[in-house]
Amino acid sequence: MMNSASLSSACSCLTWRTSSIVPVQLGFNHSTKYKSSPGRFHIACSSSSSSSDPLLVKAAKGEPVSRPPAWMMRQAGRYMAVYRKLAEKYPSFRERSETTDLIVEISLQPWEAFHPDGVIIFSDILTPLPAFGVPFDIEEVRGPVIQSPIRCEEGLKALHPIELEKLQFVGDSLRILRNEVEGRAAVLGFVGAPWTIATYIVEGGTTRTYTNIKSMCHTAPQVLRALLSHLTKAISDYIVFQVESGAHCIQIFDSWGGQLPPDMWDRWSKPYIEEIVSTVRNKCPETPLVLYINGNGGLLERMKGTGVDVIGLDWTVDLADGRKRLGSGISVQGNVDPAYLFSPLPALTDEIKRVVRCAGPRGHILNLGHGVLVGTPEEAVAHFFEVARSLKFTTPQGHVVEEPKLPVIDSGAD
């Protein structure tokens, strides 16, 4: 974890060096292209830190690093031509995200093209739902659809403890990814937070208003609490399963937590995330946990209170201000506006350098403030990672300064 040194000035810590720039039963049967080692990576749940941790894990833990590690949310997906070609052959998203060979191939596409410091499994926050009693479909126009939303006590009867054997394709994929990257990058798993998953289960799919679940907070609070409690247990087990299968780090997406007023988030989301963090900490104490909420500017201090290791900032939060508000003892992730990837490359370079300098030299994972947008030029994604690899921290990381300052970028070395 970071101490007060983590808030060192970002104005003089960087140098620039040249660098080359479905049915309820889950899973689909395909021939096995990749080989998985038997058993689980129990070492990932050990109680001691390792000097061989990937760069991203070290940054997540607030340990000294030579440069900011970088990855992108949605770094595998439709902006890549190779992905679009594969999707033509396998048009079902469920098949692509529930078939081991396809999961691994898609997850490795950006790794092979751009060499990010994190390789996130290609999956979905809804993937585990059928494993605890909530079947869903994905329709071309409507997106995810849950035919039997849970809005009353009767609906709760469909729920059961998560059956991890139905998610073996996730475990197998993580083991293979761990072997494929061979320590050169962190393997990332992820889950949805209970509130966010509950929005889909209650609303029956995606929504812009969240009226059903928000009204349940007042009309059927006992039902909603029971649902959230069940999700908390299932998600906690799912995280541990991912870590034991090879994930170095887990990101918790409370994607729709930002739709709640802060006091409502305190009641209906935060306690369940806290419980997840406590459970995972007990079983996997050295696994960093990242919490990301879209539209989190009003929730930063509350997010820190969940006990996670890293707070993901969206691009609407000034990173220097976010550092000041969060204080020491926690790392940050982000937060380049995804639209910058459509800008001229020199503008993208300047923004990356500004974000990194505002974050300071310790406890920062470079990322976008949201996922890669459809239509993003692959050249820009490649440039993003080339710039990240070209940065180098030169100021001693133990240097103490009262608070971060907005950097003045020295362009003489560009």
Side-chain angles (χ1 to χ4, degrees):
M1 276 297 140
M2 298 183 293
N3 51 31
S4 59
S6 309
L7 299 181
S8 57
S9 171
C11 298
S12 60
C13 63
L14 288 175
T15 60
W16 178 268
R17 58 184 172 81
T18 304
S19 107
S20 56
I21 318 251
V22 170
V24 173
Q25 175 64 42
L26 299 181
F28 293 80
N29 292 322
H30 279 257
S31 60
T32 302
K33 176 180 177 182
Y34 300 93
K35 291 187 177 180
S36 169
S37 297
R40 296 181 181 179
F41 282 85
H42 289 287
I43 187 69
C45 282
S46 68
S47 59
S48 60
S49 182
S50 170
S51 60
S52 62
D53 280 343
L55 189 69
L56 187 149
V57 174
K58 291 180 179 179
K61 294 178 178 180
E63 298 173 0
V65 291
S66 59
R67 65 168 178 85
W71 72 283
M72 291 182 179
M73 290 181 279
R74 294 183 186 164
Q75 68 186 14
R78 287 177 288 172
Y79 77 97
M80 295 190 72
V82 65
Y83 175 87
R84 295 194 299 272
K85 183 177 180 181
L86 185 143
E88 290 177 1
K89 184 176 181 181
Y90 303 100
S92 165
F93 176 82
R94 290 285 300 274
E95 182 175 12
R96 294 194 299 274
S97 61
E98 296 178 17
T99 305
T100 300
D101 279 0
L102 298 180
I103 294 169
V104 173
E105 182 175 352
I106 294 168
S107 302
L108 290 176
Q109 285 174 349
W111 163 250
E112 293 167 351
F114 313 121
H115 297 289
D117 295 297
V119 175
I120 190 166
I121 184 172
F122 181 76
S123 187
D124 192 86
I125 61 172
L126 301 185
T127 293
L129 266 61
F132 55 79
V134 184
F136 73 96
D137 297 311
I138 294 184
E139 297 182 2
E140 187 68 29
V141 177
R142 295 176 61 191
V145 175
I146 294 172
Q147 298 293 348
S148 300
I150 296 177
R151 299 172 186 168
C152 62
E153 290 189 13
E154 185 67 24
L156 295 172
K157 295 178 181 179
L159 301 176
H160 55 74
I162 190 167
E163 298 173 340
L164 294 171
E165 63 272 14
K166 291 185 176 180
L167 297 166
Q168 198 57 47
F169 56 88
V170 172
D172 289 343
S173 297
L174 287 167
R175 280 188 285 274
I176 294 168
L177 290 172
R178 183 78 174 246
N179 289 333
E180 289 289 321
V181 301
E182 296 179 326
R184 293 170 290 170
V187 174
L188 310 176
F190 68 93
V191 297
W195 169 264
T196 289
I197 298 298
T199 64
Y200 290 96
I201 295 175
V202 171
E203 299 287 346
T206 57
T207 176
R208 293 184 178 182
T209 61
Y210 306 90
T211 51
N212 287 306
I213 190 167
K214 285 185 175 183
S215 65
M216 276 185 70
C217 295
H218 310 286
T219 61
Q222 73 285 355
V223 175
L224 186 53
R225 288 192 187 99
L227 174 60
L228 290 168
S229 294
H230 189 92
L231 292 174
T232 298
K233 177 65 168 65
I235 292 166
S236 299
D237 290 346
Y238 188 39
I239 289 177
V240 173
F241 171 74
Q242 290 187 51
V243 173
E244 291 182 341
S245 297
H248 290 99
C249 182
I250 300 289
Q251 178 149 318
I252 302 169
F253 285 91
D254 195 8
S255 304
W256 310 131
Q259 298 295 322
L260 287 169
D263 68 309
M264 292 286 283
W265 189 80
D266 281 342
R267 280 181 278 167
W268 294 102
S269 185
K270 183 182 178 182
Y272 303 98
I273 296 174
E274 287 178 324
E275 186 175 340
I276 289 171
V277 172
S278 177
T279 298
V280 176
R281 280 276 181 274
N282 188 45
K283 297 183 178 180
C284 307
E286 289 299 321
T287 300
L289 299 175
V290 183
L291 176 59
Y292 174 82
I293 299 177
N294 188 29
N296 61 10
L299 298 172
L300 293 186
E301 294 84 356
R302 288 169 162 87
M303 292 171 69
K304 182 179 180 181
T306 62
V308 296
D309 303 277
V310 185
I311 301 295
L313 305 179
D314 73 18
W315 74 93
T316 65
V317 178
D318 179 82
L319 210 152
D321 181 58
R323 275 293 205 193
K324 183 177 180 180
R325 289 170 59 187
L326 289 167
S328 61
I330 194 162
S331 297
V332 294
Q333 178 175 275
N335 68 337
V336 175
D337 183 347
Y340 258 99
L341 294 168
F342 293 84
S343 303
L345 296 185
L348 175 59
T349 298
D350 288 346
E351 178 62 6
I352 292 169
K353 292 165 71 177
R354 185 193 71 82
V355 165
V356 171
R357 285 175 168 169
C358 284
R362 194 158 182 163
H364 176 227
I365 300 168
L366 179 62
N367 204 315
L368 302 179
H370 199 269
V372 181
L373 300 172
V374 176
T376 295
E378 292 187 47
E379 175 190 14
V381 176
H383 185 75
F384 180 96
F385 290 114
E386 288 166 359
V387 172
R389 285 189 291 270
S390 299
L391 300 176
K392 183 179 179 181
F393 295 128
T394 57
T395 298
Q397 296 193 19
H399 179 60
V400 179
V401 175
E402 287 295 319
E403 62 181 59
K405 300 176 182 178
L406 187 67
V408 177
I409 296 178
D410 179 7
S411 60
D414 289 352

